[in-house]
Amino acid sequence: MAPFPLTRTGAVLCASIALAACSDSNNTQSNDDSGFSLSILHINDHHSHLAASTFSYDVSALGLQTKADNGSDIGSVTVSYGGFPMLTSLADTLADEKRNVLKLHSGDAVTGTLYFTLFGGEADAEMMNRICFDAFALGNHEFDNGDSGLASFLNYLAADDCGTDVLAANVAPGDASPIAQGYIKPYVIKEVGGQKIGLIGIDIAQKTQESSRPDAGTTLLDETATAQKYIDEISAQGVNKIILMTHYTYANDQTLAASLTGVDVIVGGDSHTLMGGETFTQLGFNVVSDYPKKATDKAGDAVCIVHAWEYAHLLGALDVSFDASGKVTACSGNPYMPVAKSFTYTAADKVTKTLPAADADRVTQALTSRKEIVSTTADAISERLLAIYDDEVDTLKQTVIGTVSDNLCLVRWPGESRSSLCDVADNYVNGSDISNIVAKAFLTVTPTADIAIQNGGGVRTDIPMGDLTVADAFTLLPFSNTLVTLEMTGQQIVDVLEDALSNTLDNNGSSGSYPYAAGLRFNVDASQAKGARLSNVEVNSRVAGDWSAIDLNATYTVVTNDFIASGQDGYNTFATPYNAGLYVDTFTEYAQGFVDYVDALTEDGMTVAKLPIAEYSTQQYIGRDGCNHSLSADCENY
């Protein structure tokens, strides 16, 4: 990719994180005494990603003095970005620079890395408390270890004197739930700059109920009705500035805004939506929308909607101006991506070297020529705290179990933009590379099974080329699931696949319901009604013979994870044999099953690589708009 121009455009954040003397024309506060200006710093969906991530940055046109070992110009450097130590420093600086600031987290703090697997939310809470959020809205994954697991995490969060309010207006804990008393609130009213601001938490109901593990007595109420109920209750107290903190997806937030009266701002999460401009596109990331999205409520009043992507990659910064009656008159801002001040490059024999200071300054200048990128010194206390956890995590990270010979992209539905490693086109026709491999792994390590089925949402990361470690496997498959087998007829298998598609297409459920399989392949037409979306369903038992049409009356042994086997994530037909006790629990933890598969490949001198297209479970995909991904390269609707 071409580097950014070296000339800055407009007033931007300083290249150094010392911003006291800097200004940004987007963030200029209103001087109108009849109104009020509020700054919102926000993140969502960090999913236990606490450390910085990296991306490759093209420096071939920068004229660096440092040369590669063969005397040629260095083509690219590795940039460290995001992570809580840098986010904390950035949040502190922006909070000092701005006035009337709220710091908000819109859910899914946990599940996704070994930090959560090993420490159960303690590491996440400690990092969150360094930023010191004013409010945290529950997401669906907060319930992955049941209500007791959530209570444990919230106890860690409350151990600091930060006093973060935990909001979940539509979560109704059961009487016996560990979070029934004193843990969550429907809303809170904060006083900022002499003005009262109402904050309401909304969690995605169906997805949390069906795709996570809330206790049996804990229920989730309708998002829209609950939001309006508490908007009205807060408004009746004379509060005319109301923010919804939603974990409800970007698409749902737009629908929600249009269905409500009295909401001013929606700070959302769940869909991992990257909002922003061409800066992020040029870095190779998939931007979904401008930041902020300007919408209107049911009464035609302005509503500003923002999301802040995922995995602690960046910090959203929204500035909102209100008139004297509490109506939004303007909103602006952008997400900020903090990047480290040093860079590495790969020398001969794959030795990693640090770029000398003079060249590092030149790279920094190029990166920070756009206001979204901020050169940042990490918060020292956060770094020290994280290092304590890293000592234990590193033990697992050092265990290499295999080699990956292709970049293995992660998406849920074909044509989706979830992958941060690959272009949309890479998975446009047949869907996720790594999800198909995971299904193949489960089939391989379960010798009694004919076919394997895995929900797309249970697979969590891209896998890049290179060494694969135990830690990578547990990050890829972070949930506490075991592999189970069930005896099912061909008709039941078709029905459960239709269930999975319907969960998203008809029930507004998780996009993670999309099915992947091994020993089983099919065509999908998402534009059809339930029962008519699958065609040409074929079976190749253990991928050991030829493909043939599924026999609807025959019985097959299916291996899957115990989560969807119990009917979760919309896989309702699975629940019939499961609830009748007609299943066998292998007691193989599903991430361990993947580790065993990779170990076996390594022992045979093989690498982890993309499967042949003939083994991809989705052979043809027609989107909800009727566009065939195999025939058209520009279908708009996955």
Side-chain angles (χ1 to χ4, degrees):
M1 69 190 73
F4 297 137
L6 298 182
T7 302
R8 292 178 179 270
T9 56
V12 299
L13 290 175
C14 288
S16 168
I17 195 59
L19 302 179
C22 300
S23 65
D24 182 339
S25 57
N26 270 348
N27 297 325
T28 301
Q29 301 291 341
S30 171
N31 292 318
D32 183 359
D33 291 338
S34 66
F36 173 74
S37 293
L38 177 70
S39 292
I40 300 170
L41 307 179
H42 62 100
I43 72 170
N44 54 271
D45 294 278
H46 84 254
H47 281 290
S48 299
H49 286 71
L50 306 180
S53 301
T54 61
F55 64 83
S56 179
Y57 181 60
D58 183 351
V59 296
S60 57
L62 295 184
L64 301 184
Q65 296 177 0
T66 307
K67 301 297 179 183
D69 295 302
N70 62 3
S72 63
D73 290 340
I74 295 174
S76 65
V77 297
T78 297
V79 180
S80 293
Y81 73 106
F84 268 82
M86 280 196 282
L87 280 189
T88 299
S89 183
L90 178 59
D92 287 346
T93 302
L94 289 174
D96 287 342
E97 182 194 45
K98 296 173 179 290
R99 60 190 176 98
N100 304 331
V101 174
L102 283 173
K103 292 182 283 188
L104 309 179
H105 189 314
S106 286
D108 274 6
V110 298
T111 301
T113 74
L114 287 173
Y115 289 117
F116 183 68
T117 303
L118 295 176
F119 308 116
E122 182 178 10
D124 293 279
E126 196 150 21
M127 291 297 102
M128 290 172 66
N129 281 329
R130 287 297 301 152
I131 292 180
C132 198
F133 292 100
D134 293 287
F136 167 62
L138 295 186
N140 54 297
H141 283 286
E142 265 67 69
F143 288 92
D144 281 351
N145 286 343
D147 291 20
S148 61
L150 173 55
S152 177
F153 166 57
L154 296 182
N155 285 336
Y156 291 132
L157 193 64
D160 190 272
D161 60 4
C162 192
T164 299
D165 288 298
V166 180
L167 306 181
N170 63 324
V171 173
D175 291 340
S177 168
I179 62 167
Q181 301 294 328
Y183 279 90
I184 62 175
K185 306 173 184 177
Y187 67 86
V188 67
I189 297 173
K190 298 280 189 180
E191 185 166 316
V192 183
Q195 298 285 314
K196 292 182 177 180
I197 313 294
L199 301 171
I200 303 169
I202 296 291
D203 197 359
I204 187 165
Q206 193 269 352
K207 184 177 181 179
T208 304
Q209 205 81 58
E210 300 295 329
S211 300
S212 191
R213 299 179 185 270
D215 287 2
T218 296
T219 58
L220 282 94
L221 310 176
D222 180 79
E223 299 91 345
T224 304
T226 303
Q228 191 63 64
K229 171 186 173 181
Y230 286 109
I231 289 170
D232 294 344
E233 183 172 319
I234 293 172
S235 298
Q237 299 176 51
V239 178
N240 61 12
K241 302 172 187 67
I242 296 177
I243 299 169
L244 293 184
M245 296 175 61
T246 65
H247 196 80
Y248 193 40
T249 81
Y250 176 63
N252 284 337
D253 283 343
Q254 295 173 77
T255 302
L256 184 64
S259 304
L260 299 173
T261 302
V263 60
D264 299 301
V265 177
I266 297 177
V267 179
D270 186 61
S271 53
H272 297 230
T273 298
L274 175 57
M275 305 175 75
E278 65 178 7
T279 293
F280 299 121
T281 301
Q282 290 183 14
L283 288 175
F285 302 119
N286 297 310
V287 176
V288 174
S289 167
D290 289 339
Y291 181 105
K293 172 68 175 178
K294 297 177 182 179
T296 55
D297 72 359
K298 194 173 183 180
D301 294 323
V303 182
C304 303
I305 302 173
V306 289
H307 286 231
W309 200 16
E310 64 183 3
Y311 302 162
H313 287 336
L314 47 78
L315 181 71
L318 177 70
D319 297 304
V320 189
S321 296
F322 300 87
D323 65 17
S325 64
K327 303 294 185 185
V328 173
T329 58
C331 58
S332 61
N334 53 260
Y336 291 115
M337 176 184 285
V339 299
K341 296 177 180 293
S342 64
F343 310 93
T344 61
Y345 66 98
T346 302
D349 299 325
K350 297 185 179 180
V351 175
T352 299
K353 293 185 177 181
T354 300
L355 202 64
D359 280 339
D361 288 344
R362 189 140 179 94
V363 176
T364 294
Q365 185 182 6
L367 282 167
T368 59
S369 65
R370 301 295 180 93
K371 64 188 173 187
E372 296 92 343
I373 310 299
V374 187
S375 182
T376 305
T377 300
D379 174 66
I381 296 175
S382 298
E383 281 195 314
R384 288 197 297 270
L385 292 172
L386 192 56
I388 296 171
Y389 295 106
D390 285 341
D391 286 343
E392 294 186 49
V393 171
D394 282 346
T395 302
L396 280 181
K397 282 186 175 180
Q398 293 167 3
T399 307
V400 176
I401 56 174
T403 302
V404 181
S405 55
D406 299 308
N407 284 333
L408 303 175
C409 313
L410 172 75
V411 295
R412 291 182 175 179
W413 292 64
E416 186 193 46
S417 62
R418 179 174 297 266
S419 175
S420 60
L421 183 64
C422 310
D423 292 334
V424 173
D426 293 334
N427 304 96
Y428 179 75
V429 175
N430 303 105
S432 177
D433 303 318
I434 187 58
S435 304
N436 278 289
I437 293 171
V438 164
K440 178 72 175 286
F442 295 165
L443 180 61
T444 302
V445 301
T446 311
T448 59
D450 299 304
I451 64 176
I453 297 176
Q454 168 66 28
N455 57 318
V459 184
R460 303 303 293 184
T461 62
D462 297 311
I463 297 293
M465 287 189 292
D467 290 340
L468 185 75
T469 66
V470 173
D472 295 329
F474 278 83
T475 300
L476 175 72
L477 302 168
F479 304 111
S480 300
N481 297 329
T482 60
L483 298 181
V484 301
T485 60
L486 307 96
E487 302 294 314
M488 301 182 71
T489 66
Q491 184 63 62
Q492 286 178 309
I493 291 168
V494 173
D495 290 346
V496 82
L497 296 175
E498 289 275 4
D499 289 344
L501 296 170
S502 179
N503 188 55
T504 300
L505 296 172
D506 303 322
N507 302 330
N508 196 33
S510 169
S511 62
S513 299
Y514 194 83
Y516 287 88
L520 180 71
R521 66 186 188 183
F522 40 80
N523 296 342
V524 174
D525 187 346
S527 69
Q528 299 297 313
K530 183 180 181 181
R533 290 176 175 139
L534 286 170
S535 63
N536 199 30
V537 182
E538 295 182 322
V539 174
N540 181 352
S541 180
R542 300 200 61 73
V543 199
D546 297 323
W547 293 94
S548 60
I550 193 169
D551 184 340
L552 298 181
N553 296 312
T555 298
Y556 302 88
T557 301
V558 181
V559 62
T560 188
N561 66 75
D562 66 334
F563 178 64
I564 61 172
S566 65
Q568 299 297 310
D569 226 4
Y571 285 73
N572 300 326
T573 301
F574 269 154
T576 300
Y578 187 88
N579 290 339
L582 303 177
Y583 69 92
V584 175
D585 194 332
T586 70
F587 297 103
T588 298
E589 201 278 335
Y590 86 146
Q592 187 61 51
F594 185 75
V595 170
D596 294 343
Y597 170 73
V598 175
D599 281 339
L601 289 178
T602 302
E603 288 177 7
D604 290 339
M606 301 173 67
T607 65
V608 184
K610 291 183 181 181
L611 299 176
I613 290 297
E615 291 189 31
Y616 277 62
S617 49
T618 300
Q619 289 288 295
Q620 182 185 85
Y621 182 78
I622 298 173
R624 286 174 284 191
D625 57 358
C627 189
N628 190 327
H629 285 214
S630 297
L631 302 178
S632 176
D634 57 357
C635 296
E636 295 182 356
N637 192 338
Y638 72 82

